[in-house]
Amino acid sequence: MSARAGANPRRVFVNAMLLLCALLAMFPLLWMTSVSFMAHGEASHFPPPLLPRQATLANYMELFSQAGIGRYFLNSLMLALAATMLSLAFNVGAGYAFAKLRFAGRDRLFKLLLGALVIPGQVAMLPLFLIMKQMGLVNTYIGVLVPAAASIFGIFLVRQYALTIPDALLEAARLDGASEFRIFRAIVLPLLAPILVTLAIFSFLGSWNDFMWPLIVLTDKDLYTLPVALASLSREHVQDNEMMMAGSVLTILPVLLLFLVLQRYYIQGLLVGSVKG
């Protein structure tokens, strides 16, 4: 009884510290949301107010009516969905091949891919841009999507998870006369469901938050993605902190909702892949 009573204060202290850390981590996001509902110039006061004197949707209305943020939002959403589909198609197929199919040079090629992970992505931007220019893909969405079609990390993630699939299960399907495509579609894909969700989240977040590559490839303002459009607007509205905060909320909200909805599958995919892989 005394041991249990003595453990309660420590438990309360630990929970209090965790709650404090969570609040500190969430404070910038909460304050950003609060500022987005403030009137023009209200956030520039010192000290900055934590809550708006009178909440208003004027900043959001201005973004959609005058800044045309709706078009940029749809541009980013379309590109993120397309990048996610391409990433799943290429990374899942390649990861499964490296894990379960036998072909010449498989292990050496995979080690070469892992070695390429240490090369910063910024190093490849100039030669990649020159290739896109020669192919006539500059200022097109295809040029934006090409680098997102496959990633070494995505291939590695799927491979590590696919290694947990028993070889006996695949051999039994082959003995029953199933083709490789049917095995992949009917057996492998359902078993890879947790890692597919994890990879989809990574791909969607990477494409949605990408700023540098769309800024380099896209020159037509109507094709801008949301991060690029907000950066352009920030130069025109340097003092309009409230409207910029509203734009930041619109940028963060979709990915935050996506993660909250799929976090169970995301965590499951990472844990299983790390423990069994």
Side-chain angles (χ1 to χ4, degrees):
M1 183 72 177
S2 59
R4 182 181 301 178
N8 285 335
R10 285 197 296 270
R11 187 180 304 167
V12 172
F13 175 77
V14 170
N15 289 335
M17 290 296 100
L18 291 175
L19 179 61
L20 178 62
C21 292
L23 290 176
L24 290 175
M26 293 180 60
F27 177 77
L29 179 62
L30 296 175
W31 189 71
M32 176 187 69
T33 305
S34 176
V35 172
S36 69
F37 291 103
M38 293 182 183
H40 179 68
E42 187 176 347
S44 301
H45 296 163
F46 185 83
L50 295 179
L51 298 173
R53 287 194 297 266
Q54 185 175 1
T56 176
L57 294 174
N59 299 311
Y60 293 94
M61 295 174 64
E62 185 175 356
L63 280 174
F64 281 96
S65 61
Q66 299 183 17
I69 207 69
R71 170 185 295 176
Y72 305 128
F73 186 93
L74 292 177
N75 290 346
S76 285
L77 182 61
M78 179 185 66
L79 280 174
L81 291 175
T84 301
M85 294 297 103
L86 288 173
S87 176
L88 289 175
F90 285 98
N91 291 326
V92 173
Y96 169 71
F98 277 115
K100 293 299 181 182
L101 301 183
R102 297 179 179 88
F103 54 90
R106 182 189 68 174
D107 295 336
R108 291 182 179 179
L109 180 58
F110 184 70
K111 291 178 181 178
L112 183 63
L113 288 176
L114 291 182
L117 277 175
V118 303
I119 303 176
Q122 292 79 3
V123 175
M125 283 188 175
L126 179 56
L128 186 59
F129 174 79
L130 295 178
I131 294 174
M132 294 296 105
K133 184 177 180 181
Q134 292 178 356
M135 297 177 64
L137 297 179
V138 173
N139 198 34
T140 66
Y141 285 150
I142 297 178
V144 178
L145 291 172
V146 166
S151 67
I152 300 175
F153 176 74
I155 294 173
F156 172 78
L157 198 66
V158 175
R159 176 189 179 271
Q160 294 304 105
Y161 197 96
L163 288 174
T164 65
I165 300 175
D167 291 333
L169 181 63
L170 304 180
E171 291 297 333
R174 294 188 181 104
L175 291 175
D176 288 339
S179 64
E180 291 295 332
F181 178 76
R182 184 177 180 184
I183 293 173
F184 180 74
R185 178 178 56 84
I187 298 177
V188 176
L189 284 182
L191 293 176
L192 292 179
I195 207 64
L196 293 183
V197 175
T198 304
L199 180 59
I201 293 175
F202 280 142
S203 302
F204 188 92
L205 291 180
S207 177
W208 181 272
N209 295 326
D210 192 14
F211 171 77
M212 185 61 67
W213 183 245
L215 179 65
I216 294 174
V217 176
L218 300 177
T219 58
D220 189 349
K221 189 175 181 180
D222 291 338
L223 300 179
Y224 278 178
T225 59
L226 192 54
V228 177
L230 284 179
S232 178
L233 285 174
S234 66
R235 294 191 292 268
E236 302 174 9
H237 303 271
V238 178
Q239 301 298 326
D240 200 345
N241 298 320
E242 295 79 13
M243 190 173 74
M244 290 299 98
M245 291 296 185
S248 299
V249 170
L250 292 175
T251 305
I252 293 174
L253 188 60
V255 293
L256 183 61
L257 292 176
L258 177 69
F259 178 78
L260 291 177
V261 171
L262 301 178
Q263 63 175 331
R264 179 168 64 91
Y265 302 97
Y266 167 78
I267 296 174
Q268 180 184 355
L270 289 183
L271 289 178
V272 175
S274 62
V275 173
K276 295 185 179 180

